[in-house]
Amino acid sequence: MRRALRPMPAATQAALMTVLALVVSAGCRESAPTASPKAMPVVPADAISKAVENGPVKAVVSVWPAAPSVLDLIYLHVEVTSATGTQATLELETELLTAFWQDTWQQATATRADGTTIQTKVAGLYAEFAGKQRIPSFRVAYVDAGGEAHELLTEEISLTVAPPPEDAATASMQPAPGNLDPARGAWPWWAWVVVGTLAIASAWLAWRAVAAARSARAREAQISAYDAARARLSELIARGAPDGQDLAVLDAWYVELSAIVRLYIEQRFGLRAPELTSEEFLVVAKESEALAGPQRTQLAAFLEACDRVKFAGYHPTSDESLGNFALAERFIEGTASGIEATLTVTSPATEGTP
């Protein structure tokens, strides 16, 4: 029978829920934005700009400075203007900008009085290396006032990035803005309390689960050993006890009876009984705490009776065989204590047997 795992106490559950609520609320407070958005940069007159127009949608891509170096911040400005009733979507495939390290992205949307919509996206880029570079085409998907879908591709922009100036290597570095806060990035004290509490709770639950699983496996092994032994005893007694005349039948009956008891002991207590002689096993059983004194005495008497038939050529009567069978049955029933099963089952053929 599998034993159910006891649920976590209500007080422990309430404590964990309170701690988790504190974590969520604290995390929400700390994740709220505190900095105001930056103003969108204005496209200068000397920027490299290319415009593409298709019906109600117009896209303009601008890049500046026109002659940057690898130390300069390069601005990428994309503006999409769509007429009234047109829904445009600007897709910037940033993975195509493989030659640039991307800094910050900004975006804004505005609507004029006549219903025209202007979408703007600006990126800050740094070139990975000097030489000729390119800003790839971007796709603008839009649906016109009639409900038809279209696409518009912007034009590529070529850009020559100069190496850093010669005096950049000898230029002095700017002074540090200030000392770093040693606690910046460190967890607050309550976070450590939460982590510790969750770790203890997880370890406790894991220990309970492992312990319950081990207990269930051990209990199932014990019950299985008892049930198997009872079933084999029932099959053996159903064939009747030997009358002591046929030595081969008599020997086979006692070998099977002894094997039932030995296998039961192995599965029930973990003692390797089948591989040992009777004398060797009794020594092991005497040193083990699995069997009590009366049980070891009972087992010794049973094994001695079986050995007399198997090795000494003794021919017991059928009544003696039934008595030895009852001895084995009492031993199995007596050692089955603690198993959650019906332990009062007795074969009808042996009722009343001393």
Side-chain angles (χ1 to χ4, degrees), residues 12 22 48 51 54 63 89 93 97 120 157 182 209 221 232 254 266 270 294 306 324 342 349:
T12 305
L22 291 175
I48 303 175
N54 185 15
V63 178
T89 303
E93 294 87 352
L97 298 169
T120 305
I157 293 181
R232 295 185 64 185
Y254 271 88
E266 177 186 8
C306 293
N324 291 328
T342 302

Side-chain angles (χ1 to χ4, degrees), residues 85 112 126 150 160 171 187 219 288 306 312:
R112 296 174 180 170
Y126 285 97
H150 304 272
T160 300
W187 285 12
R219 186 60 54 86
S288 173
C306 293

